[in-house]
Amino acid sequence: MWVHPEEVLQAGALWITERANPYFILQKRKGHGDGRGGLAGLLVGTLDVVLDSSARVAPYRILYQTPDSLIYWIIAHGCSRKEITEHWEWLEQNLLQTLSIFENENDITTFVKGKVQGIIAEYNKNHDVKEDDDTDKFKEAICTFRKLFGMPEEEKLVNYYSCSYWKGHVPRQGWLYLSINHICFYSYLLGKEAKLVIRWADITQLEKSATLLLPDAVKVSTRVAEHVFSVFLNINETFKLMEQLANIAMRQLLDNEGFEQDRSLPKLKRKTPKKVSALKRDLDARAKSERYRALFRLPKDEKLDGHTGCTLWTPFNKMHILGQMFVSTNYICFTSKEETLCSLIIPLREVSLLQLFPSPVSISTKNRMTFLFANLKDRDFLVQRISDFLQQTTSKIYFERETTGSVNSSDDEQGSLLSSSPQRSSLGSEGSSEGERQFNLNDNSVPTATQALMTMYPPPPEEFNPKLAKEFLKEQAWKNHITEYGQGVCMYRTEKTKDLVLKGIPENMRGELWLLFSGAINEMATHPGYYEDLVEKSMGKYNLATEEIERDLHRSLPEHPAFQNEMGIAALRRVLTAYAFRNPNIGYCQAMNIVTSVLLLYAKEEEAFWLLVALCERMLPDYYNTRVVGALVDQGVFEELAREYVPELYDCMQDLGVISTISLSWFLTLFLSVMPFESAVVVVDCFFYEGIKVIFQLALSVLHANIHQLLGAKDDGEAMTVLGRYLDSVSNKDSTLPPIPHLHSLLTDDGDPHPEVDIFKLVRSSYEKFGSIRADVIEQMRFKQRLRVIQTIEDTTKRNVVRTIVTETAFSIDELEELYVLFKAEHLTSCYWGGTGGSNPTERHDPSLPYLEQYRIDLEQFRGLFSLLFPWAPVNGAHADPLALRFFRLLDHNGDSLINFREFISGLSVLCHGDLTEKLKLLYKMHVIPGKCVCVLFTERERSPEGNLYSLYAANLYVFLSLSLLQSQFIELCKTLYNMFSEDAQEQELYHATATVTSLLLEMGEVGKLFCHSKDQEEQDQDDPEEAKSSWPARDGGTKPGGVFQQRGQGEGKEESQARPCGPAKRDGRGEQLSAMEDIKLEDSSPKDTGTSSSMLISDDETKDDTSMSSYSVLSGGSHELDDKLHCEDINDDTVLVRSENSTSIDKDWAITFEQFLASVLTEQALVLYFEKPVEVAARITNAKNVRKVGCSLLSASDYEISLSG
């Protein structure tokens, strides 16, 4: 390829000149290609790898040099001699004569450089190449990556790093390539080459390790091996990228989210490192945005635009606080350098004025708050970005108001947003009885909760209650705080805010502050009317989620009066159902009902919905999916924290197995199911403000408080009783709520009650003892546990699948597990790089389905496995595809064009372990399916109307074997047999045996046809003697045509008629079944005619040549004598057997049955031995693991084993 001219000082170093003229030199890298490089070639190859030289990819180059200059310019390089020769010839033909005209050498140099740059620009224009996507250096690395590992263009390289790979005790210096789906390593040292390819989806552990020998190393573990890499120039950057890519792979396994590159990245800056790729910048931007959203509890689609250092003037303490300003599309945020000092969130929708002063920037909001930012770097640029975002936000708000008809004033906007719950149902009748309640999501006859349920059930009034006085003081403290620090989203959040939360949020402010601290208020503000529309759309819809919701409605806080009537139950139903329709990946999970019922007590219906969204999608990610992966991950994190903070208790708890039992219920319900209600809501207060770290701190405090009793516990039951009694005793003395009986306390023993534990003291103690736990540390631990949990789930799925089908097949458990790995790998490969089959690979993996259905493959993936694993797969790919298609359609029992692992194994098991009869039944069934149907499906790769026949046939083996094999189908069966024996040791004998069996079957078919005609004639004589008499001459005067092979499409007629099964198939008592299937039109793949004789195949040994090609002759149906001989060197897929000029189609009345086919095969010992021959599936599995098609390269299927050469 042409390259932008670069100066080269040493033209001869490590290069050999092959061609030269006065202006250009063509050179080849020493030691490349001819194998005679010797020691110099080995050294050069090693240097190229270690120093990341472009000569690894492009061992040929063209230099430009003027006659009197010592400076050379590289203008082109190539990976092959052909490519570089084309460039050389172009230069000789188009530039040499022109250059001789110039007199000034500088003019020549300028002209050549301009010409080459013009060629590059024209190429980029014609091929739509974006020059800013990747640097030239990185493009070279991409070429190297694809060339070394045989990766297709769809596999995107993210970055590459120099490092050492430890194979045993010997380090191999080379390059680590990190792509979206694989981690690859390549090393070449003094003739020894090492390659390693590992899928991210196969990694079970990824960690940084430090030893005396390897202070900075990364250990990558899979199910079969551990790999250690060291000597990184920047290990932190490398490890973070590896973590991110492994996370993407785990996400794909978990919920089938594929990776899509963000194309809206800013342009490369001049200071950008040469190696960085657009994809690496994309991933870096994603990581920063994720941290930004987690820090400020922002919506999931918010993208960070940039951040800069600044100071914020805080009026409450009259100080300038040093920190960082973050700017994104819809928000301006600030956090102090000292973590807990101050943080701030300013939604751009709230901004009313942006002012510039000599130093500070002033931002005013609609609720009359003003924020002053000073000491901003690149202030003018930052202000311009904020102005642009403000303009977009203003346009968006105006558009929403126009479309929704909203006329709320700016002063009332927040209040209106907080009360935008659907109110239609409140006009309905409230007299519906409990017995008349129907399963309806938004029935007008059902009262709707237009406010928080707690306000509808206040505690009974008392003349004097000290708790009410204390509650009043709390409210005043919060009101004073809001007056000083601001109201709503733009509140200054400081250490004082945290102290107020730890002391408890007042009952009547709880819902509003939950909405604020969780960030749910932002999503609700930007989605007006969303919840109401969702309720309407989900009204009256039924699925598995709605059934589970209906079952659990009356189990949600049944002890609270709000959920002892229809109003509370209906509100809970609407919120849960609306969320199930919003997020079908989660749908509904047990424990969601308990959490949602508490949210409804303190928040309005729409607010409770958005709080549930924040909880499930941001604050407790993956907690409530079908496999509670998030809770299992945090369970592992909790075990790690327990080992670190209560080491004396950890071993005891592990032996008892208590941690895994307790943590799941504690985390899933935020302690709501294990603590008295009035105490658990205090935990929820802290959770919405501080996040998951509060739950970890509190859980550790509970263990620490009971450490002596737990150490003395004899079994897990006793330990659970100790913890249960302790949590039951946690009380909230400040609560103004009436005592609510706690279900968990009713189930504990009748021993002495545990002394009361004050919830506020417990929370304060958890901060004092375990407050050092940081959110970023928790995220690191979550990543490590996520790898373990998801891979454990995958292993469990594999074991369950194998356990389900091991009794149905003769394969061993180990063989089934290996086959499952190959089956899953084929699916993952299609997810990575797509396929040509037309189906979306990501839609074929649904983790919510039963184990056997989670991974399914289509025809494209089946073809790959068929050629590697199935004994009948022809060596010739052209012959293998039609057979794979027939096999696939036979295995596809439900006709959805996908097969699961059970269906796949059912077919492979017959071929590997079935007896002769089972194999022949399978072969017969594959061809009794109408040929036309197969052809249509094969060419169009779409399900034709006839495609439904497959599911109908596959459902009933008896129906299959009762159908006769028509002549066109018989010809396809013969072709399959001949192609099957290619390269077999007994190929000649098998061909002769097949020809003999073919001849015998053709004669049987002819006899059956004559018998069928006789019987039909007798029936016709009884019905219409005169017509029968006139038809006799036509039947007796049959011709004896020969047969020829003719290309499909030549001489085809348009007439298609229904085939009439005849012969023994019609006389063995199965006629009723066949007549019942008259709607299934068994059509031939070639037209019919009215001829009475048929083309029949017999052996012709005299014409068999040395190349073992098959020969045929045609037996006349009328006299059973040899007639015109038919010679065919190969039966191709695009040929069918048709009549000669006297007859233009295959005989529609000719047919044989399975019994005839079986009996004929049994007469030939060679065929019997072939079909009875055992198949060694282990060898095929080993071969398939080491052979995976990736263009031209061959890699293994799972953890690709390292290959060493030299």
Side-chain angles (χ1 to χ4, degrees):
M1 61 181 290
W2 300 103
V3 297
H4 293 284
E6 294 181 7
E7 192 173 319
V8 179
L9 296 179
Q10 295 290 333
L14 307 180
W15 292 85
I16 302 170
T17 299
E18 293 199 334
R19 295 189 188 182
N21 59 41
Y23 297 100
F24 302 106
I25 303 172
L26 190 154
Q27 294 184 325
K28 182 184 75 171
R29 191 69 163 177
K30 283 186 178 180
H32 174 76
D34 55 10
R36 295 190 297 270
L39 180 59
L42 293 177
L43 291 173
V44 170
T46 302
L47 286 173
D48 287 343
V49 170
V50 174
L51 301 178
D52 189 29
S53 169
S54 60
R56 286 195 297 156
V57 186
Y60 298 93
R61 70 179 184 180
I62 298 176
L63 302 180
Y64 158 77
Q65 180 207 26
T66 54
D68 297 330
S69 173
L70 296 177
I71 299 175
Y72 296 84
W73 300 84
I74 179 171
I75 59 173
H77 59 61
C79 59
S80 67
R81 186 181 297 276
K82 179 181 178 182
E83 179 186 2
I84 206 69
T85 302
E86 289 176 356
H87 291 345
W88 178 264
E89 291 175 352
W90 187 91
L91 290 172
E92 288 185 329
Q93 294 170 9
N94 296 278
L95 284 191
L96 277 183
Q97 293 182 355
T98 306
L99 296 181
S100 62
I101 301 174
F102 289 93
E103 297 180 356
N104 190 330
E105 291 185 357
N106 291 333
D107 293 342
I108 297 175
T109 302
T110 303
F111 177 79
V112 171
K113 291 168 66 176
K115 191 68 175 176
V116 171
Q117 290 172 344
I119 294 172
I120 295 172
E122 183 68 21
Y123 177 85
N124 291 342
K125 180 181 177 181
N126 294 337
H127 293 78
D128 194 25
V129 176
K130 298 178 181 178
E131 294 188 7
D132 288 332
D133 280 357
D134 290 318
T135 60
D136 290 338
K137 185 66 174 174
F138 197 80
K139 288 176 183 176
E140 291 179 3
I142 293 174
C143 293
T144 306
F145 170 69
R146 290 177 183 161
K147 182 179 178 181
L148 289 175
F149 304 104
M151 295 292 179
E153 291 187 4
E154 291 81 3
E155 183 69 7
K156 304 296 183 183
L157 179 65
V158 180
N159 212 349
Y160 63 108
Y161 301 93
S162 173
C163 71
S164 290
Y165 170 70
W166 289 80
K167 182 65 175 176
H169 299 289
V170 180
R172 295 179 178 274
Q173 185 65 28
W175 290 88
L176 185 71
Y177 294 87
L178 305 181
S179 67
I180 288 296
N181 302 303
H182 296 87
I183 172 174
C184 308
F185 177 82
Y186 178 78
S187 172
Y188 180 85
L189 294 175
L190 299 178
K192 289 191 175 182
E193 187 180 59
K195 287 184 184 180
L196 176 70
V197 183
I198 305 172
R199 264 200 202 93
W200 290 114
D202 293 329
I203 291 177
T204 57
Q205 190 173 7
L206 183 66
E207 59 182 350
K208 279 195 295 187
S209 60
T211 62
L212 187 62
L213 180 62
L214 301 174
D216 289 323
V218 174
K219 185 168 73 172
V220 179
S221 301
T222 66
R223 292 176 178 86
V224 296
E226 289 185 354
H227 309 279
V228 178
F229 303 91
S230 64
V231 196
F232 289 96
L233 295 178
N234 190 340
I235 189 171
N236 291 327
E237 176 193 334
T238 308
F239 187 72
K240 284 181 180 178
L241 180 57
M242 293 171 79
E243 280 187 326
Q244 199 171 1
L245 293 170
N247 252 329
I248 291 172
M250 294 304 107
R251 176 60 53 188
Q252 191 166 357
L253 287 176
L254 178 61
D255 57 15
N256 220 25
E257 281 187 10
F259 176 81
E260 294 184 6
Q261 185 175 353
D262 186 358
R263 301 293 181 181
S264 59
L265 292 172
K267 300 294 183 184
L268 282 171
K269 298 178 181 179
R270 291 182 179 178
K271 296 181 181 179
T272 302
K274 283 186 176 182
K275 283 200 312 180
V276 74
S277 67
L279 200 52
K280 173 68 165 60
R281 292 164 54 230
D282 176 12
L283 291 171
D284 288 344
R286 287 173 189 237
K288 290 177 181 177
S289 293
E290 285 175 8
R291 289 194 294 270
Y292 168 64
R293 290 192 297 263
L295 182 60
F296 298 104
R297 307 279 171 77
L298 299 178
K300 290 181 70 176
D301 56 353
E302 193 67 19
K303 292 180 181 179
L304 178 64
D305 187 69
H307 60 92
T308 183
C310 68
T311 58
L312 171 66
W313 170 255
T314 50
F316 53 85
N317 59 2
K318 307 295 188 293
M319 290 177 60
H320 286 281
I321 296 179
L322 182 64
Q324 288 270 329
M325 173 193 277
F326 300 84
V327 178
S328 62
T329 314
N330 300 295
Y331 298 89
I332 300 171
C333 301
F334 174 86
T335 184
S336 58
K337 192 172 183 180
E338 188 180 338
E339 187 176 354
T340 59
L341 197 57
C342 178
S343 67
L344 179 67
I345 301 171
I346 308 174
L348 294 183
R349 65 177 184 273
E350 297 289 330
V351 174
S352 59
L353 184 64
L354 178 64
Q355 291 178 295
L356 289 178
F357 294 101
S359 175
V361 174
S362 172
I363 299 176
S364 301
T365 63
K366 295 172 183 177
N367 60 355
R368 299 180 179 84
M369 292 181 70
T370 301
F371 306 95
L372 289 175
F373 297 94
N375 301 317
L376 287 162
K377 298 177 182 178
D378 298 329
R379 189 188 72 156
D380 294 339
F381 173 76
L382 183 66
V383 169
Q384 183 60 47
R385 293 295 291 170
I386 295 175
S387 300
D388 293 341
F389 291 142
L390 275 172
Q391 189 173 1
Q392 295 173 13
T393 305
T394 305
S395 303
K396 192 186 304 180
I397 292 174
Y398 178 77
F399 175 75
E400 288 176 354
R401 287 181 177 176
E402 286 292 317
T403 55
T404 60
S406 172
V407 290
N408 297 327
S409 65
S410 60
D411 292 331
D412 298 334
E413 187 174 1
Q414 186 172 353
S416 66
L417 288 169
L418 294 177
S419 60
S420 57
S421 302
Q423 311 230 350
R424 303 182 190 182
S425 305
S426 61
L427 302 176
S429 169
E430 299 186 10
S432 60
S433 65
E434 178 72 16
E436 296 173 345
R437 179 178 63 81
Q438 298 178 354
F439 181 49
N440 199 335
L441 301 178
N442 197 18
D443 192 345
N444 288 338
S445 64
V446 179
T448 302
T450 57
Q451 53 186 324
L453 295 179
M454 189 67 78
T455 60
M456 301 181 185
Y457 301 92
E462 299 181 23
E463 293 183 1
F464 176 75
N465 187 346
K467 292 183 179 180
L468 291 175
K470 205 164 186 179
E471 185 77 3
F472 176 76
L473 292 176
K474 276 187 186 180
E475 292 180 15
Q476 289 301 315
W478 272 98
K479 288 178 180 178
N480 294 337
H481 182 79
I482 288 171
T483 303
E484 185 177 1
Y485 291 86
Q487 184 177 12
V489 186
C490 301
M491 173 194 294
Y492 291 99
R493 307 180 193 206
T494 65
E495 191 70 25
K496 188 175 180 182
T497 312
K498 176 180 170 182
D499 290 338
L500 285 175
V501 172
L502 296 185
K503 291 175 182 177
I505 297 176
E507 294 287 333
N508 61 353
M509 300 178 71
R510 186 162 269 141
E512 179 185 350
L513 291 174
W514 282 359
L515 209 63
L516 178 66
F517 294 143
S518 67
I521 189 172
N522 294 314
E523 289 170 298
M524 191 173 77
T526 54
H527 294 81
Y530 176 84
Y531 173 70
E532 186 174 356
D533 292 341
L534 205 56
V535 170
E536 288 184 1
K537 290 177 182 176
S538 60
M539 181 172 59
K541 303 290 178 62
Y542 303 93
N543 54 31
L544 181 61
T546 56
E547 291 178 10
E548 292 177 345
I549 290 169
E550 196 67 17
R551 186 175 62 244
D552 287 348
L553 284 176
H554 295 277
R555 306 174 186 172
S556 310
L557 288 185
E559 62 273 12
H560 197 283
F563 297 100
Q564 294 172 358
N565 61 74
E566 187 58 29
M567 181 176 290
I569 294 294
L572 182 60
R573 177 187 294 119
R574 284 192 294 273
V575 172
L576 289 174
T577 306
Y579 186 77
F581 277 82
R582 166 189 166 87
N583 191 343
N585 287 335
I586 291 178
Y588 171 76
C589 174
Q590 285 187 340
M592 285 174 67
N593 59 321
I594 296 174
V595 175
T596 307
S597 59
V598 174
L599 299 178
L600 280 168
L601 288 176
Y602 292 101
K604 299 172 186 176
E605 196 170 301
E606 184 180 11
E607 296 171 357
F609 170 79
W610 287 111
L611 281 168
L612 184 62
V613 170
L615 200 70
C616 295
E617 298 177 11
R618 289 191 286 108
M619 302 189 74
L620 295 176
D622 304 321
Y623 259 58
Y624 299 106
N625 57 26
T626 53
R627 296 180 285 188
V628 293
V629 171
L632 293 173
V633 168
D634 281 352
Q635 175 183 300
V637 173
F638 181 55
E639 290 184 10
E640 280 197 65
L641 292 172
R643 181 169 58 236
E644 181 178 351
Y645 288 96
V646 283
E648 64 274 23
L649 185 61
Y650 175 76
D651 291 335
C652 172
M653 297 292 283
Q654 283 293 95
D655 293 339
L656 296 176
V658 174
I659 291 182
S660 59
T661 306
I662 60 175
S663 56
L664 211 55
S665 59
W666 292 3
F667 295 159
L668 277 171
T669 64
L670 303 176
F671 285 92
L672 287 166
S673 62
V674 294
M675 267 189 194
F677 174 78
E678 62 275 8
S679 303
V681 291
V682 176
V683 178
V684 180
D685 293 343
C686 300
F687 169 76
F688 278 125
Y689 187 79
E690 286 270 72
I692 191 63
K693 64 169 289 191
V694 173
I695 306 299
F696 286 122
Q697 290 174 185
L698 197 64
L700 289 171
S701 290
V702 172
L703 292 183
H704 189 270
N706 294 276
I707 189 167
H708 298 296
Q709 295 92 319
L710 291 173
L711 287 173
K714 299 176 182 178
D715 54 35
D716 58 339
E718 185 178 346
M720 293 293 292
T721 301
V722 169
L723 294 171
R725 290 183 60 204
Y726 179 85
L727 290 170
D728 288 336
S729 69
V730 177
S731 63
N732 181 358
K733 296 179 180 179
D734 297 343
S735 175
T736 59
L737 300 176
I740 300 173
H742 181 44
L743 181 62
H744 190 270
S745 64
L746 300 177
L747 302 176
T748 54
D749 62 352
D750 298 328
D752 295 334
H754 192 282
E756 284 193 353
V757 179
D758 184 69
I759 181 62
F760 297 107
K761 290 182 179 179
L762 179 61
V763 171
R764 184 68 65 178
S765 171
S766 73
Y767 273 88
E768 290 172 355
K769 294 176 181 175
F770 309 108
S772 59
I773 299 174
R774 294 170 52 88
D776 56 344
V777 174
I778 290 176
E779 284 304 314
Q780 285 286 329
M781 298 169 78
R782 274 179 165 176
F783 164 74
K784 178 181 176 181
Q785 294 298 327
R786 192 177 294 115
L787 284 178
R788 180 188 61 81
V789 167
I790 293 179
Q791 296 294 14
T792 301
I793 289 174
E794 290 294 308
D795 291 340
T796 302
T797 300
K798 178 175 69 175
R799 286 195 298 271
N800 287 334
V801 169
V802 169
R803 189 183 302 120
T804 302
I805 64 176
V806 69
T807 57
E808 305 171 8
T809 177
F811 290 120
S812 67
I813 292 179
D814 292 340
E815 289 172 342
L816 285 173
E817 289 185 348
E818 294 283 2
L819 288 169
Y820 180 83
V821 169
L822 288 169
F823 188 87
K824 174 183 167 184
E826 196 68 31
H827 165 81
L828 290 177
T829 302
S830 66
C831 289
Y832 297 158
W833 304 325
T836 57
S839 64
N840 184 359
T842 57
E843 294 176 358
R844 300 198 301 272
H845 176 216
D846 186 353
S848 65
L849 290 174
Y851 292 120
L852 278 170
E853 295 288 340
Q854 285 184 18
Y855 291 105
R856 294 172 292 174
I857 60 175
D858 64 9
L859 178 59
E860 287 299 313
Q861 286 77 57
F862 179 76
R863 280 189 180 130
L865 291 176
F866 180 79
S867 62
L868 292 173
L869 295 172
F870 284 66
W872 290 357
V875 178
N876 188 331
H879 297 152
D881 283 354
L883 186 59
L885 174 67
R886 289 181 178 276
F887 220 126
F888 179 85
R889 291 300 175 183
L890 191 65
L891 298 179
D892 182 16
H893 291 178
N894 58 0
D896 62 352
S897 298
L898 298 171
I899 62 172
N900 60 33
F901 187 62
R902 169 182 267 155
E903 293 167 336
F904 177 80
I905 288 297
S906 67
L908 183 60
S909 179
V910 172
L911 267 59
C912 293
H913 300 292
D915 59 24
L916 179 141
T917 305
E918 290 174 330
K919 291 178 182 178
L920 292 179
K921 281 181 181 178
L922 189 64
L923 186 62
Y924 185 87
K925 286 196 296 181
M926 287 166 56
H927 294 84
V928 79
I929 297 171
K932 180 179 179 180
C933 171
V934 175
C935 294
V936 171
L937 288 165
F938 179 62
T939 54
E940 298 180 3
R941 289 171 182 167
E942 297 176 356
R943 288 191 57 202
S944 62
E946 295 93 335
N948 294 326
L949 289 171
Y950 289 98
S951 57
L952 180 61
Y953 285 154
N956 195 329
L957 170 63
Y958 184 71
V959 173
F960 260 118
L961 299 180
S962 69
L963 294 177
S964 298
L965 197 66
L966 305 181
Q967 194 175 73
S968 60
Q969 298 161 356
F970 174 70
I971 293 171
E972 295 297 323
L973 175 60
C974 294
K975 289 161 61 176
T976 298
L977 284 172
Y978 276 89
N979 293 328
M980 192 187 296
F981 306 142
S982 178
E983 296 191 10
D984 189 276
Q986 306 296 322
E987 185 177 5
Q988 284 285 352
E989 291 80 355
L990 288 168
Y991 280 147
H992 284 285
T994 303
T996 304
V997 168
T998 301
S999 302
L1000 183 58
L1001 286 170
L1002 282 166
E1003 293 183 15
M1004 289 182 182
E1006 287 299 319
V1007 172
K1009 185 184 72 170
L1010 294 175
F1011 181 83
C1012 181
H1013 283 174
S1014 301
K1015 186 171 182 179
D1016 289 346
Q1017 186 62 43
E1018 291 175 5
E1019 295 173 355
Q1020 192 172 358
D1021 290 345
Q1022 296 172 2
D1023 296 338
D1024 190 353
E1026 294 300 325
E1027 184 180 345
K1029 189 180 296 182
S1030 64
S1031 66
W1032 286 342
R1035 293 187 181 275
D1036 295 337
T1039 60
K1040 298 187 286 186
V1044 297
F1045 273 101
Q1046 183 173 313
Q1047 291 294 322
R1048 193 182 300 269
Q1050 296 179 358
E1052 285 188 353
K1054 296 183 179 179
E1055 181 184 346
E1056 292 181 355
S1057 61
Q1058 182 173 341
R1060 179 180 54 173
C1062 59
K1066 195 170 181 179
R1067 299 190 301 272
D1068 61 358
R1070 300 172 188 169
E1072 294 180 1
Q1073 287 193 16
L1074 291 172
S1075 63
M1077 296 179 62
E1078 276 192 340
D1079 291 337
I1080 305 173
K1081 297 185 178 181
L1082 304 179
E1083 298 173 346
D1084 294 342
S1085 60
S1086 52
K1088 323 292 186 294
D1089 69 350
T1090 57
T1092 58
S1093 63
S1094 114
S1095 303
M1096 303 184 66
L1097 306 176
I1098 67 166
S1099 132
D1100 184 10
D1101 297 342
E1102 295 177 357
T1103 58
K1104 179 76 72 175
D1105 59 21
D1106 294 334
T1107 57
S1108 300
M1109 295 301 178
S1110 56
S1111 300
Y1112 303 84
S1113 62
V1114 179
L1115 186 64
S1116 169
S1119 62
H1120 299 277
E1121 294 178 355
L1122 290 176
D1123 203 351
D1124 303 328
K1125 292 185 177 180
L1126 169 67
H1127 303 281
C1128 175
E1129 295 199 345
D1130 195 7
I1131 303 181
N1132 295 319
D1133 296 322
D1134 57 351
T1135 61
V1136 294
L1137 188 62
V1138 298
R1139 301 295 180 89
S1140 62
E1141 61 274 2
N1142 294 332
S1143 177
T1144 58
S1145 75
I1146 294 176
D1147 193 339
K1148 66 179 181 180
D1149 294 326
W1150 187 98
I1152 61 168
T1153 64
F1154 171 71
E1155 289 80 1
Q1156 293 171 328
F1157 174 64
L1158 175 61
S1160 301
V1161 171
L1162 290 175
T1163 63
E1164 289 296 324
Q1165 187 66 16
L1167 288 175
V1168 171
L1169 292 176
Y1170 177 83
F1171 284 107
E1172 287 184 342
K1173 180 173 58 178
V1175 177
E1176 186 58 45
V1177 72
R1180 291 181 173 272
I1181 292 173
T1182 302
N1183 177 61
K1185 285 173 63 178
N1186 295 311
V1187 178
R1188 188 171 62 89
K1189 295 180 182 178
V1190 191
C1192 61
S1193 179
L1194 302 178
L1195 302 173
S1196 72
S1198 180
D1199 177 12
Y1200 311 152
E1201 300 173 358
I1202 188 165
S1203 60
L1204 301 173
S1205 63

